[in-house]
Amino acid sequence: MAETTATAPRMPSKGLATGTLGLVGSTVIGLASTAPVYSLAATLGFVVLAVGAQAPVAFIIAFVPMLLIAFAYRELNRAVPDCGTTFTWATKAFGPRVGWMGGWGVAVAGMVVLANLAQIGGKYFWLLINEDIAQNPVIVTATGVVFIALMTYISYRGTEIGEKLQNVLLGIQYLALIIFVIAVIVALSTGTAPAGATVPELSWFNPFAFESASGFVEAILLALFIYWGWDTCLALNEETKDPERIPGRAAILSTLILLVTYVGVTVAAMAYAGLGTTGLGLGNENNAEDVFFALKDVLFGPLAWLLVIAVLVSAVSSTQTTILPTARGTLAMAAYRALPRRFGMVHPKYHTPAFSTVVMGIVSTVFYVGLTIVSEDFLSDTILSLGLAIAFYYAITGFACVWFFRRELFANAHNVFFKFLFPLLGALMLTAAFIFSAIDMFNPDYGYTVIFGIGGVFVVGIGSLALGVVLMIVWSFFPRSKPFFRGETLNETTEVLVPEETVPPRRSVDGGWA
């Protein structure tokens, strides 16, 4: 906390490159991590199947806990700008075991989504070249592995090259989304839209029109997935020009931009395709796995390849930005002895978490290839389970904010809202989403697979978190881990391993000032 760290001397930093990112660069990375085009393509159809015409308001409701937790991230980052984020903050608030599980939640989410991003990247790459090859699972999987390896290498080389790449890739994504919306407006205004097209209605934004509680919960959890990723800019806090302020601002800005993006594109897609259960209708289950792929030929005609490129770029872009926070999270865990020492190795030239980055790439590749061999349906179930890990560690962060600042919560109005009320409400919402979703996922009819008579989504989601408990217990028996689990290397009053002083002002690679 502020009053306990102000007089203590700063400990050495972890060795990461400082002063690399400005506000624009941090925001770009936060947005790119959510893979906006891919997230919409993979999620919008399922949200419509769950709640029908209330899809736009479902995205708005899901945004609320995201924004509230973003405030928690901002406040915690101002006090403790550590790249371990949830792990570091939860450890300081609740102790080593809760903190370790928070860090594990971040790692699980990253590993699961990387496998799915690689699959999408491999598939869409070949859709541009030869649609027949895109149906070959071996070639698609091999291509996905190449994408993981390439993005791992870029992350290994440093945030500057990664940021330059993300500026271009995010620009392509938003250009495609803008063209999509404009094309829909033109089609609706000229009468060239398909038969199921409809005029947007205010009822689509009615929060009281949901017909099913389970459908509502499912839609919210799916919507949480498409917002997830903005916290990457917080994991790069030690590499920004102003670690205490820029990452938090970038997080808030990212979530607001995503809200406008998702609601706007959702309304456009619903208006153009309608909600019918046949043909192009978004209520057609055959279109749910990829809405853009279903609409591209009719809406774009000979330029349909633009949407294919956009989804490909979105998946590949997010592959790189997903590696960044996970590698830095494990770096922080190693720095405080919550993981083996090697995870804390920083490259002497590139100042990146070299070992953690490489391990992340290897583990994700093994996970991806393994699940593809077992069943592509099982791989699909992993993405449905991802919301559990997201809700898990975001909720921990919200509760950690309240407890970490407990002695100053009512010192002023700012603290009441941003350190107490907003984080607490966000954490409670996400906890409720986690519980209700886990109950629904237990049903064997949920998802594509059944394991031991239980829904495969539940087994993957809860099982991956339970695996973290096992690994934590195993690591706690190693001598090197003892100081961490005794609360000696990281506790409420421990100074964290962050840069010793503010980096002298210079232009970041995005051209902005701190």
Side-chain angles (χ1 to χ4, degrees):
M1 296 177 61
E3 66 265 32
T4 60
T5 61
T7 58
R10 288 277 189 183
M11 293 181 71
S13 73
K14 302 181 190 69
L16 296 171
T18 58
T20 302
L21 299 171
L23 178 60
V24 174
S26 294
T27 304
V28 165
I29 287 178
L31 290 171
S33 296
T34 66
V37 176
Y38 159 68
S39 296
L40 278 168
T43 308
L44 177 56
F46 290 108
V47 173
V48 172
L49 288 178
V51 295
Q54 304 326 117
V57 74
F59 286 125
I60 294 174
I61 293 173
F63 165 77
V64 174
M66 289 293 99
L67 180 63
L68 297 179
I69 294 300
F71 285 126
Y73 268 82
R74 185 188 68 179
E75 297 302 321
L76 285 166
N77 183 75
R78 282 178 175 173
V80 187
D82 188 273
C83 69
T85 60
T86 297
F87 157 74
T88 304
W89 302 331
T91 301
K92 291 178 78 65
F94 300 124
R97 286 164 183 78
V98 175
W100 203 99
M101 286 304 299
W104 174 253
V106 176
V108 164
M111 181 176 64
V112 168
V113 81
L114 264 181
N116 286 274
L117 290 169
Q119 177 79 352
I120 293 296
K123 178 181 178 180
Y124 273 78
F125 176 81
W126 288 109
L127 281 174
L128 282 173
I129 300 173
N130 187 311
E131 291 194 14
D132 291 333
I133 296 179
Q135 305 307 315
N136 187 314
V138 175
I139 295 178
V140 168
T141 301
T143 306
V145 170
V146 171
F147 281 135
I148 291 178
L150 179 61
M151 293 302 122
T152 299
Y153 175 72
I154 291 174
S155 300
Y156 180 88
R157 287 292 304 270
T159 55
E160 290 198 21
I161 183 174
E163 185 197 359
K164 291 176 181 177
L165 176 66
Q166 291 304 331
N167 286 333
V168 175
L169 297 183
L170 187 68
I172 293 173
Q173 290 185 66
Y174 268 89
L175 177 62
L177 291 177
I178 291 171
I179 293 174
F180 177 84
V181 173
I182 292 175
V184 167
I185 293 173
V186 171
L188 291 174
S189 60
T190 58
T192 58
T198 181
V199 177
E201 301 176 10
L202 286 177
S203 61
W204 294 357
F205 298 90
N206 183 359
F208 303 104
F210 292 99
E211 298 179 356
S212 165
S214 62
F216 169 75
V217 173
E218 180 182 354
I220 296 304
L221 198 69
L222 287 166
L224 289 180
F225 162 67
I226 73 170
Y227 284 112
W228 171 67
W230 51 263
D231 52 309
T232 296
C233 54
L234 276 300
L236 300 177
N237 49 17
E238 295 182 36
E239 294 154 89
T240 61
K241 291 179 63 60
D242 187 347
E244 295 181 3
R245 285 182 285 271
I246 284 181
R249 293 172 183 172
I252 303 298
L253 187 57
S254 297
T255 55
L256 292 172
I257 293 174
L258 289 171
L259 172 67
V260 174
T261 301
Y262 291 150
V263 174
V265 174
T266 297
V267 170
M270 289 172 57
Y272 181 80
L275 302 174
T277 57
T278 60
L280 296 176
L282 298 187
N284 185 345
E285 292 186 7
N286 294 326
N287 300 333
E289 289 189 2
D290 191 337
V291 169
F292 290 147
F293 189 76
L295 300 179
K296 65 180 179 61
D297 292 321
V298 178
L299 182 60
F300 280 73
L303 298 178
W305 54 271
L306 284 173
L307 274 179
V308 177
I309 287 180
V311 176
L312 168 62
V313 163
S314 183
V316 173
S317 169
S318 188
T319 300
Q320 193 252 328
T321 53
T322 299
I323 294 171
L324 296 176
T326 309
R328 280 150 182 79
T330 52
L331 166 72
M333 292 178 76
Y336 301 112
R337 301 194 184 185
L339 283 179
R341 182 185 291 107
R342 292 200 68 183
F343 283 90
M345 290 176 57
V346 173
H347 196 284
K349 178 180 179 181
Y350 304 129
H351 300 288
T352 58
F355 183 79
S356 289
T357 299
V358 172
V359 168
M360 178 63 182
I362 293 173
V363 171
S364 298
T365 299
V366 172
F367 179 76
Y368 168 45
V369 174
L371 288 188
T372 303
I373 292 174
V374 172
S375 168
E376 286 195 32
D377 286 341
F378 200 47
L379 185 62
S380 299
D381 274 353
T382 63
I383 203 69
L384 293 176
S385 72
L386 187 60
L388 291 180
I390 296 169
F392 176 76
Y393 83 82
Y394 275 172
I396 286 178
T397 307
F399 289 127
C401 181
V402 174
W403 192 248
F404 182 78
F405 294 112
R406 64 190 180 280
R407 298 182 184 89
E408 55 188 84
L409 292 178
F410 303 103
N412 51 57
H414 174 94
N415 288 6
V416 169
F417 286 102
F418 295 107
K419 294 182 179 180
F420 171 61
L421 185 59
F422 291 166
L424 180 60
L425 289 176
L428 290 173
M429 290 177 186
L430 290 168
T431 301
F434 180 93
I435 295 172
F436 286 119
S437 297
I439 294 172
D440 283 344
M441 290 175 182
F442 190 82
N443 190 325
D445 293 330
Y446 195 106
Y448 299 96
T449 59
V450 178
I451 302 175
F452 305 123
I454 303 172
V457 179
F458 178 90
V459 173
V460 174
I462 299 299
S464 60
L465 294 176
L467 176 62
V469 175
V470 174
L471 293 177
M472 179 180 65
I473 293 174
V474 170
W475 173 240
S476 69
F477 286 108
F478 283 78
R480 177 173 164 76
S481 73
K482 300 300 182 182
F484 171 74
F485 287 105
R486 288 197 298 259
E488 297 170 2
T489 56
L490 183 62
N491 55 55
E492 184 179 7
T493 59
T494 303
E495 267 294 341
V496 293
L497 302 171
V498 296
E500 295 185 5
E501 57 186 9
T502 303
V503 178
R506 63 178 177 85
R507 282 199 179 274
S508 63
V509 291
D510 61 49
W513 296 99

